[in-house]
Amino acid sequence: MKILFIGSVEFSKKILDEIIKSKNEIVGVIGKKKNNFNSDYFDITRYSKSIGIPSIQSKNINSKNTIDWIKRKNPEIIICIGWSKLLKKKILSLCRFGVIGYHPSDLPKNRGRHPIIWTLALGLKKIGSTFFIMDTKADSGDIISKKLINVSKDDNARKLYNRLIITAKSQIRQILKKLANNTLRRISQKKKPSNFWRKRNELDGQIDWRMSADSIYNLIRALSDPYPGAFFNYSNKKIFVWKSKIVNVDLSNLEPGKILYIKKGKPIIKCGDRALKLENYTPNIKFKNNNYL
């Protein structure tokens, strides 16, 4: 089968590697230049060229130049993983098998932006790994493969990201086999309830110590590597927190944001309820007891 691949993040590269292992022909790869939107950006075009696969960077995936390039490659199917722009009908109708997309959520629930971050920030206990046939709307096409993954309190963004990669690699192997055998099933999302997660901005990552310790803990793990990190301001510096631990204390008479004490160089901060120990943060500065964040 002749496959064209579209992607721009680390996740894309991992799935492309799995497709390369199959007996299918990858006729081309489309990526894009680095931007501020994808903190897990990966230059998939440079990588593809290094292993002999034709590739281009596209500023506008729906442009005539990009569509003409795809047409010249004559793919039977397009696989699009880790692309932030919607594909229009001209691309979606180029191949006889259509375009396969991917979204790490339990579709039709939780369509939209930043699904890994929102899953952890909201403290959800499951996340989906879902492949679907793309249409002109966001994450709304027929589902062709979905697996649910349990999310524990100890999971952070990197752990969950890597587990989703492992699951998605297994799924894409099965999808390619079913396409070859003409046994791929499609399940419509149309009649099922759905919601759309909004795009996050920088302020969504700022810690408000009036929040509960659980909420701050979830925010920190949600924005850990490969994402930009939850942060707060202290001594005119922006401090990024990568790992924390909830401390059970009953100090309801103390204000949120107060540094209660320092333990082995790590500050324990009063939250809206209980407290939080900052175990890993950058830059590595010294905090003072009884100061406020």
Side-chain angles (χ1 to χ4, degrees):
M1 185 182 304
K2 297 168 70 176
I3 299 172
L4 186 133
F5 190 87
I6 301 172
S8 63
V9 297
E10 179 187 337
F11 205 106
S12 314
K13 189 262 183 186
K14 299 296 184 180
I15 302 305
L16 177 60
D17 282 342
E18 197 62 31
I19 297 170
I20 290 171
K21 292 178 185 177
S22 72
K23 296 180 180 180
N24 298 286
E25 179 186 0
I26 301 175
V27 297
V29 169
I30 298 175
K32 59 185 174 184
K33 291 183 179 179
K34 188 172 184 178
N35 55 48
N36 294 326
F37 181 78
N38 298 115
S39 54
D40 57 339
Y41 170 82
F42 183 82
D43 189 349
I44 202 163
T45 54
R46 182 178 181 181
Y47 173 69
S48 300
K49 287 177 182 177
S50 73
I51 55 177
I53 300 174
S55 61
I56 60 167
Q57 288 187 337
S58 176
K59 292 182 180 179
N60 178 5
I61 193 68
N62 297 295
S63 69
K64 184 179 183 300
N65 287 341
T66 301
I67 291 173
D68 287 345
W69 190 84
I70 295 173
K71 286 180 178 178
R72 289 195 295 271
K73 299 304 172 185
N74 194 29
E76 294 174 273
I77 192 165
I78 296 172
I79 298 176
C80 180
I81 309 289
W83 197 262
S84 57
K85 299 294 183 181
L86 292 177
L87 276 58
K88 294 184 178 179
K89 191 173 182 181
K90 284 186 178 180
I91 292 183
L92 298 174
S93 60
L94 281 178
C95 309
R96 67 188 185 104
F97 289 121
V99 181
I100 292 176
Y102 177 81
H103 191 64
S105 83
D106 183 11
L107 291 180
K109 297 177 183 177
N110 307 330
R111 295 171 178 165
R113 303 283 194 171
H114 315 296
I116 296 175
I117 295 174
W118 280 119
T119 294
L120 291 168
L122 294 171
L124 302 186
K125 295 181 179 179
K126 289 185 181 295
I127 191 171
S129 177
T130 307
F131 287 87
F132 58 97
I133 303 298
M134 297 180 73
D135 58 21
T136 55
K137 297 180 181 179
D139 310 319
S140 65
D142 292 349
I143 293 171
I144 56 174
S145 177
K146 181 166 70 172
K147 302 288 184 182
L148 293 180
I149 298 172
N150 292 326
V151 181
S152 77
K153 288 287 288 184
D154 293 329
D155 281 326
N156 58 21
R158 173 51 67 185
K159 288 180 181 178
L160 196 53
Y161 196 99
N162 289 344
R163 287 166 61 203
L164 282 162
I165 287 171
I166 293 169
T167 300
K169 287 166 70 172
S170 174
Q171 288 174 278
I172 198 65
R173 288 196 299 267
Q174 293 301 314
I175 288 168
L176 293 174
K177 288 179 182 178
K178 290 178 180 179
L179 278 170
N181 298 330
N182 198 29
T183 58
L184 191 67
R185 292 183 59 201
R186 298 169 56 145
I187 301 173
S188 173
Q189 296 189 55
K190 293 179 181 178
K191 295 182 180 180
K192 296 182 178 180
S194 65
N195 63 288
F196 281 86
W197 277 331
R198 67 169 174 83
K199 182 180 179 180
R200 296 177 59 86
N201 58 45
E202 184 182 12
L203 288 179
D204 286 315
Q206 184 166 0
I207 296 170
D208 182 341
W209 297 102
R210 294 170 295 181
M211 297 163 59
S212 69
D214 276 321
S215 294
I216 299 173
Y217 172 84
N218 286 338
L219 181 64
I220 290 168
R221 67 190 183 119
L223 288 171
S224 64
D225 174 71
Y227 303 120
F231 69 93
F232 62 91
N233 295 305
Y234 180 70
S235 295
N236 297 317
K237 293 182 179 179
K238 185 179 283 189
I239 311 299
F240 292 89
V241 186
W242 306 105
K243 186 179 180 182
S244 65
K245 182 179 180 180
I246 294 173
V247 179
N248 289 310
V249 293
D250 183 13
L251 298 170
S252 56
N253 61 312
L254 296 183
E255 316 96 308
K258 184 174 185 176
I259 301 175
L260 300 177
Y261 55 94
I262 312 292
K263 185 175 181 180
K264 295 182 179 180
K266 308 299 182 183
I268 286 76
I269 317 298
K270 175 65 169 57
C271 304
D273 66 355
R274 300 186 290 173
L276 209 65
K277 179 183 177 184
L278 308 186
E279 296 195 318
N280 186 359
Y281 51 87
T282 53
N284 188 18
I285 65 171
K286 290 185 178 180
F287 293 90
K288 294 182 179 179
N289 281 336
N290 298 317
N291 276 10
Y292 291 89
L293 307 183

